[in-house]
Amino acid sequence: MVLAKSKKSVGLGNQLMKDRFGKGKGTDQRRGNAVTRINHATGEQYVTNDKEEASWVKMRSVTEQGALDEFLATAELANTDFTAEKTNNVQIIHPSQQNRFLLSSTQEKAVRSKHKQLKHKLEVPRRPKWDKTTTATELDMLEREAFLEWRRNLAELDEVEDLLLTPFERNLEVWRQLWRVVERSDIVVQIVDARNPLLFRSEDLEDYVTTIDLKKKNLMLINKSDMLTERQRKIWAKYLKEHDIEYRFFSAALAKEENEKSEEDSDTEGEEEESESEAEAPVAETVEGSIPQASKKVLQDLLVESSIAGEPETRTPEVADVDIGILTIDELQEMFLTLAPARDYSERKLAVGLVGYPNVGKSSTINALCGAKKVSVSATPGKTKHFQTIHISDDVVLCDCPGLVFPNFAATKAELVCNGILPIDQMREYIGPVGLVAQRLPKAYLEAVYGIKITTRPLEEGGSGVPAAHELLDAYARARGFYTTGHGTSDESRAARLVLKDYVSGKLLYCEPPPGEEDPSDFNRELYTLNNIPARRRAEILNALGALSVEDADMVTLSEASIRQKGDKSNRLDKDFFGPGGSASHVNRPFNHKYSEQGKQLSSKKAWQLSTLEQNTDLKDIRLSGKKHYKGNTKGKKKALRNAED
Ligand SMILES: Nc1nc2c(ncn2[C@@H]2O[C@H](COP(=O)(O)OP(=O)(O)OP(=O)(O)O)[C@@H](O)[C@H]2O)c(=O)[nH]1
């Protein structure tokens, strides 16, 4: 039986034709993916593969493009025929570009000196000049042309000079937002990550701001400063002062806690006096106060273990008059008012533009300034998409720009991944970035944070003492039971993602020193104390170490802990670590502001520890008192004795 076809039914072919050439398609005519548009400035028709998209789609951040996308985007920007642009845009892959994940130290030196020479070429795109007579279409054309020229210049740095650049923003719409923010703001605040401030700073943006209006001010706000020690802040402060960079240290996370605390305090009755004095304490002091004196003991043994030759210097720069404090919210607001350029503010409030890479903490800073959660905060870079204004007081309005990556030099792709600039979830090559983590962080610290034991290749077999990426990943994956399905080998790729995320979030902490200042391992020395590993891990280590009071334990170096771990024939420490739930610890900020709370948690164990202490009054004896995990480990004993004597 043949069914009669309904006249109303529409076949796929018809539907496609209707979709492409049907009514209501405006001036655009579609053929396949290509759309014919009219250039209103010249009246000419041109073909593009771009669709008219919703404004939020237009604002998508474009940082890395495949060769074809790059080519199409350039052609589209240039409003030209594809073939005309084709010859100019063929990408030549240099053999040297193929492995940019890690460099040897000589290669790195050479690259860094080339960066210095060509620094002036790292420009942000300028908005072309316009006046009242310029029509919107003319301005649009001018902007596209200028943007295209800017992209060509940067492509030259990449291709001709063979230098690796940050995956800078390639979407004109995002830069247009920045232009608006800069034009509107009296002060342009570049928010940077304290772990590597200069990588996140655009010097040229500062020039651009003052080119638009000499009265406009620049400020580098070093966010996440809770991750820096006081000494590290001093070293940075000295460098920034010497280079005439207007800066301030800030921590949106500490400011948030401060907000929450004062809210709690205002809710609590009867304890006003006490809570008031705490709330008034400057944040910087709170941070310092949170790190017990004992934790400032430098981990010399750890450094020796990390094969760093020589006695590290503990010298702190003389910077008596420089500002090293972490600003409170009130102090930051005052700072804005102090910096405000002279003009009549009766008509318009002081406008403060907030600019920065994705994930540096713009939203968190705004939330802290607002005193409430106004902007959604996320651990995924690139959440803020639109320029928005937020009135934080009667005097100040904030202009929040979408997070955007500025053109800057990077030594390697590994550095970009580790700094959270290249997304970890889209990463295919993980050995380079994890290798960098393993190079930067002392082995004992990695072992203590994760509660793992990393087996490295012995020195006599060519090992260097520094774990190779796969040695770290293998230990991590096995401890957590991550195995590949087919082969049953450890799932290093899964482990790599988690390790790198911990590095980006600061759970594994490393901070870059200013250029030309001290060696990175000396600069970070204070970070690798027992106090800075997650509280739970610390408690586990202390448990495994046995009879030490909390205060004494602060003096125990991680390396010592790791020696004991190695020497433990009964594997007691490992069992403690790898037991159920043993890997679930979590910390956001190694310099946990709530140290006193951690201390409290630990002190619940103190009674037991003290009772053991009573039996072993001599600390050296306690350390070497024939605990199970020392038995037969004479080498470990000797080393531990040396540590104890130090
Ligand atoms: N330790 C620490 N972490 C912070 C601080 N400020 C922000 N973070 C963390 O950094 C991550 C990114 O913060 P956001 O405020 O979302 O960053 P953003 O710059 O607004 O990001 P986009 O919206 O992508 O532009 C979050 O995981 C925050 O918890 C800080 O002062 N200290």
Side-chain angles (χ1 to χ4, degrees):
M1 194 175 79
V2 181
L3 285 173
K5 205 175 169 188
S6 160
K7 280 186 184 171
K8 283 187 179 172
S9 71
V10 182
L12 177 65
N14 278 344
Q15 188 58 53
L16 285 173
M17 292 300 282
K18 203 174 153 194
D19 187 49
R20 283 181 197 169
F21 306 114
K23 287 177 192 167
K25 298 289 172 193
T27 50
D28 294 349
Q29 288 185 2
R30 286 170 185 275
R31 282 183 207 98
N33 283 332
V35 181
T36 307
R37 291 224 180 103
I38 295 168
N39 182 336
H40 297 284
T42 60
E44 285 170 7
Q45 283 194 345
Y46 67 97
V47 178
T48 171
N49 64 339
D50 183 32
K51 294 186 212 103
E52 277 294 356
E53 286 167 325
S55 60
W56 70 269
V57 180
K58 275 198 220 161
M59 285 298 299
R60 256 185 316 211
S61 184
V62 180
T63 51
E64 273 204 305
Q65 286 184 317
L68 180 62
D69 285 342
E70 178 103 26
F71 162 65
L72 291 175
T74 316
E76 165 62 6
L77 266 172
N79 271 355
T80 45
D81 192 299
F82 290 1
T83 42
E85 278 291 308
K86 208 158 91 183
T87 45
N88 295 335
N89 281 282
V90 175
Q91 281 212 357
I92 298 157
I93 312 269
H94 292 250
S96 54
Q97 280 183 342
Q98 285 170 8
N99 186 6
R100 286 173 150 190
F101 273 94
L102 278 182
L103 299 176
S104 69
S105 56
T106 1
Q107 279 172 323
E108 195 173 333
K109 258 190 194 160
V111 167
R112 298 268 183 221
S113 81
K114 215 168 170 187
H115 288 174
K116 257 192 190 167
Q117 282 169 26
L118 296 168
K119 210 171 80 178
H120 62 279
K121 294 204 168 186
L122 291 172
E123 292 186 338
V124 296
R126 272 32 179 185
R127 188 178 201 183
K129 288 217 162 60
W130 57 280
D131 54 36
K132 282 178 194 161
T133 61
T134 321
T135 66
T137 329
E138 280 167 356
L139 185 60
D140 179 72
M141 288 288 289
L142 289 172
E143 285 177 359
R144 279 167 185 271
E145 274 169 26
F147 191 67
L148 186 64
E149 187 55 32
W150 170 78
R151 278 187 62 167
R152 280 197 186 116
N153 291 341
L154 287 176
E156 219 174 86
L157 275 182
D158 186 10
E159 286 160 24
V160 181
E161 302 289 348
D162 192 22
L163 288 171
L164 181 70
L165 294 178
T166 49
F168 59 87
E169 183 59 61
R170 285 159 164 85
N171 184 351
L172 173 59
E173 291 302 326
V174 178
W175 288 105
R176 281 178 167 150
Q177 297 293 317
L178 176 83
W179 292 337
R180 273 171 213 147
V181 169
V182 171
E183 281 166 14
R184 180 155 179 183
S185 305
D186 299 296
I187 305 169
V188 176
V189 179
Q190 277 195 56
I191 303 184
V192 299
D193 190 315
R195 288 169 292 176
N196 197 346
L198 296 187
L199 179 71
F200 293 92
R201 172 186 180 227
S202 167
E203 233 179 295
D204 189 58
L205 177 66
E206 291 173 11
D207 290 346
Y208 180 44
V209 168
T210 45
T211 328
I212 290 186
D213 185 347
L214 258 177
K215 280 191 199 151
K216 287 185 193 284
K217 296 283 169 60
N218 285 294
L219 173 69
M220 179 161 100
L221 193 66
I222 308 179
N223 189 37
K224 307 194 187 182
S225 293
D226 52 290
M227 296 197 188
L228 297 177
T229 61
E230 187 187 345
R231 182 173 171 273
Q232 287 177 324
R233 292 204 303 276
K234 274 187 183 162
I235 294 173
W236 267 112
K238 183 172 168 272
Y239 175 88
L240 297 170
K241 283 252 160 185
E242 278 169 8
H243 289 79
D244 277 334
I245 299 170
E246 189 78 58
Y247 73 93
R248 281 295 180 277
F249 292 108
F250 184 66
S251 163
L254 289 181
K256 187 177 167 223
E257 281 178 17
E258 192 196 356
N259 273 340
E260 285 169 357
K261 194 166 183 302
S262 43
E263 263 172 38
E264 268 171 35
D265 287 349
S266 59
D267 290 347
T268 317
E269 280 181 11
E271 293 169 350
E272 279 108 52
E273 264 185 44
E274 204 183 300
S275 45
E276 240 175 61
S277 64
E278 273 173 33
E280 276 167 16
V283 177
E285 278 175 28
T286 324
V287 178
E288 290 318 311
S290 71
I291 307 162
Q293 268 317 100
S295 80
K296 292 184 181 150
K297 181 180 185 298
V298 175
L299 294 181
Q300 297 180 354
D301 314 322
L302 182 58
L303 292 175
V304 172
E305 271 220 340
S306 320
S307 64
I308 294 152
E311 181 84 349
E313 276 189 32
T314 49
R315 201 170 40 85
T316 306
E318 295 296 321
V319 273
D321 59 336
V322 295
D323 197 344
I324 57 148
I326 300 177
L327 294 189
T328 60
I329 302 158
D330 291 344
E331 285 166 349
L332 181 59
Q333 291 208 33
E334 263 169 43
M335 170 83 198
F336 291 155
L337 296 174
T338 323
L339 269 185
R343 72 158 169 86
D344 178 12
Y345 288 98
S346 59
E347 281 179 8
R348 202 164 53 82
K349 288 182 182 181
L350 173 71
V352 178
L354 298 178
V355 176
Y357 279 56
N359 225 28
V360 290
K362 282 184 309 302
S363 308
S364 307
T365 305
I366 293 172
N367 287 334
L369 282 164
C370 294
K373 208 169 157 50
K374 293 269 161 57
V375 184
S376 70
V377 174
S378 106
T380 317
K383 222 172 155 245
T384 313
K385 291 286 172 223
H386 288 273
F387 154 56
Q388 44 183 322
T389 51
I390 303 138
H391 297 257
I392 54 163
S393 71
D394 293 341
D395 309 312
V396 182
V397 59
L398 300 179
C399 307
D400 179 27
C401 182
L404 85 167
V405 177
F406 292 95
N408 203 349
F409 292 125
T412 60
K413 282 202 170 186
E415 190 189 344
L416 291 173
V417 174
C418 288
N419 283 298
I421 297 173
L422 283 179
I424 292 167
D425 287 329
Q426 288 160 30
M427 170 191 77
R428 270 167 288 169
E429 210 283 346
Y430 55 82
I431 291 296
V434 175
L436 196 60
V437 172
Q439 260 176 32
R440 285 178 168 177
L441 299 173
K443 177 168 164 270
Y445 174 74
L446 288 166
E447 289 179 331
V449 171
Y450 287 138
I452 56 175
K453 189 170 179 305
I454 306 167
T455 314
T456 49
R457 197 198 291 194
L459 294 178
E460 52 277 14
E461 286 176 29
S464 62
V466 177
H470 79 91
E471 288 167 345
L472 164 61
L473 295 175
D474 185 61
Y476 181 97
R478 283 179 194 282
R480 278 148 187 78
F482 296 168
Y483 293 100
T484 53
T485 33
H487 309 283
T489 51
S490 55
D491 189 346
E492 292 188 2
S493 155
R494 186 175 169 197
R497 274 163 228 285
L498 293 171
V499 168
L500 289 171
K501 282 186 179 175
D502 282 344
Y503 188 90
V504 171
S505 76
K507 177 175 168 180
L508 295 177
L509 188 53
Y510 170 87
C511 302
E512 197 64 35
E517 294 295 321
E518 58 184 45
D519 184 274
S521 39
D522 285 345
F523 185 70
N524 284 296
R525 194 172 348 113
E526 286 177 329
L527 296 177
Y528 309 126
T529 62
L530 267 183
N531 286 321
N532 294 324
I533 64 171
R536 184 152 159 213
R537 286 261 168 259
R538 197 159 82 105
E540 283 167 347
I541 293 178
L542 294 180
N543 265 344
L545 285 173
L548 288 175
S549 73
V550 176
E551 288 76 17
D552 296 332
D554 290 336
M555 304 295 288
V556 177
T557 64
L558 288 173
S559 58
E560 196 174 335
S562 104
I563 292 160
R564 292 173 188 213
Q565 194 175 349
K566 275 183 232 155
D568 183 1
K569 285 267 156 69
S570 68
N571 209 15
R572 180 177 153 205
L573 189 60
D574 283 0
K575 264 195 230 151
D576 283 347
F577 273 139
F578 305 149
S583 61
S585 78
H586 222 69
V587 71
N588 281 330
R589 285 175 297 118
F591 276 110
N592 203 324
H593 192 51
K594 291 182 175 164
Y595 171 73
S596 49
E597 276 177 39
Q598 292 176 12
K600 271 181 214 156
Q601 281 168 20
L602 287 168
S603 59
S604 65
K605 295 192 172 76
K606 212 170 172 181
W608 167 77
Q609 288 170 338
L610 280 176
S611 70
T612 329
L613 254 184
E614 274 164 20
Q615 294 157 28
N616 306 281
T617 39
D618 182 349
L619 185 61
K620 272 184 211 166
D621 284 346
I622 298 166
R623 292 184 180 190
L624 302 169
S625 62
K627 297 260 159 252
K628 264 196 263 172
H629 44 282
Y630 291 127
K631 271 185 190 165
N633 179 23
T634 43
K635 218 175 162 187
K637 266 186 190 177
K638 275 183 197 160
K639 207 165 181 183
L641 179 59
R642 254 184 281 128
N643 292 336
E645 281 165 359
D646 287 341

